[in-house]
Amino acid sequence: MPLPNARDLTDLQWAILDPLIPEPPRRKDGRGRPWKDRRAVLNGILWVLRTGAPWADVPERYPSYQTCHRRFQQWVRSGIMKGVLEALALDLKVRGVLDVEEAFIDASFAPAKKGAPKSEKQSVVREPKSWLSQTATVFPLPYASKALRLTK
């Protein structure tokens, strides 16, 4: 087993989270591969959330990125991940290392034109075209117009 990373869950943190993450059920017919260790998978998920790296860049010390991503999706849908993150935040707050008085949100995904009033709409001439609209212009396909409507 690979050595744990200094930023992986401590034994104390895992003791708090272990009951929140149910053991995956085995198939009744006994077939299939055994499930990867829940703690190792969670450490892989937390590595991606902490670094912002793509899933495919999950280090080899964790289970495969496909496993981590699939389990992350399952845990988000079932509400398990919300409970895990809330428990981790509470642990940090109790230890005095989480200060929620000041917080920053990265808004780089929400571009705005400098100096423009909030309600001003960019002119059609200046509005940048997405790769989808450029592709649809060059290769008009029946489903392209539907995809364009969905992206606006």
Side-chain angles (χ1 to χ4, degrees):
M1 177 158 178
L3 293 173
N5 184 290
R7 296 188 125 196
D8 284 351
L9 295 168
T10 65
D11 289 339
L12 182 59
Q13 288 171 321
W14 179 244
I16 295 167
L17 300 176
D18 186 21
L20 299 177
I21 305 171
E23 194 69 47
R26 293 284 301 162
R27 286 176 46 155
K28 292 184 195 297
D29 61 9
R31 297 176 62 195
R33 292 187 209 157
W35 288 79
K36 295 291 182 184
D37 177 56
R38 296 169 299 135
R39 183 175 181 174
V41 172
L42 182 58
N43 278 322
I45 291 169
L46 293 175
W47 182 88
V48 169
L49 295 178
R50 182 175 58 251
T51 64
W55 286 101
D57 291 347
V58 170
E60 289 184 15
R61 66 180 173 266
Y62 303 117
S64 73
Y65 77 89
Q66 295 96 330
T67 297
C68 292
H69 184 255
R70 189 178 324 105
R71 202 77 62 85
F72 174 71
Q73 290 177 322
Q74 291 168 349
W75 291 348
V76 166
R77 280 192 299 268
S78 67
I80 291 171
M81 200 67 212
K82 182 180 181 202
V84 165
L85 294 176
E86 287 173 349
L88 287 173
L90 182 60
D91 174 59
L92 292 172
K93 187 175 181 183
V94 166
R95 290 191 288 142
V97 292
L98 179 66
D99 180 14
V100 293
E101 291 296 314
E102 186 172 5
F104 297 92
I105 298 174
D106 179 5
S108 60
F109 62 90
K113 185 177 176 184
K114 279 190 172 181
K118 288 182 183 179
S119 62
E120 182 182 317
K121 183 173 171 32
Q122 279 189 332
S123 70
V124 176
V125 175
R126 291 185 184 169
E127 191 171 337
K129 291 189 175 188
S130 71
W131 68 269
L132 188 58
S133 67
Q134 291 171 357
T135 305
T137 305
V138 176
F139 302 106
L141 298 171
Y143 59 82
S145 60
K146 181 179 180 183
L148 282 173
R149 283 193 307 273
L150 294 174
T151 59
K152 288 188 178 185

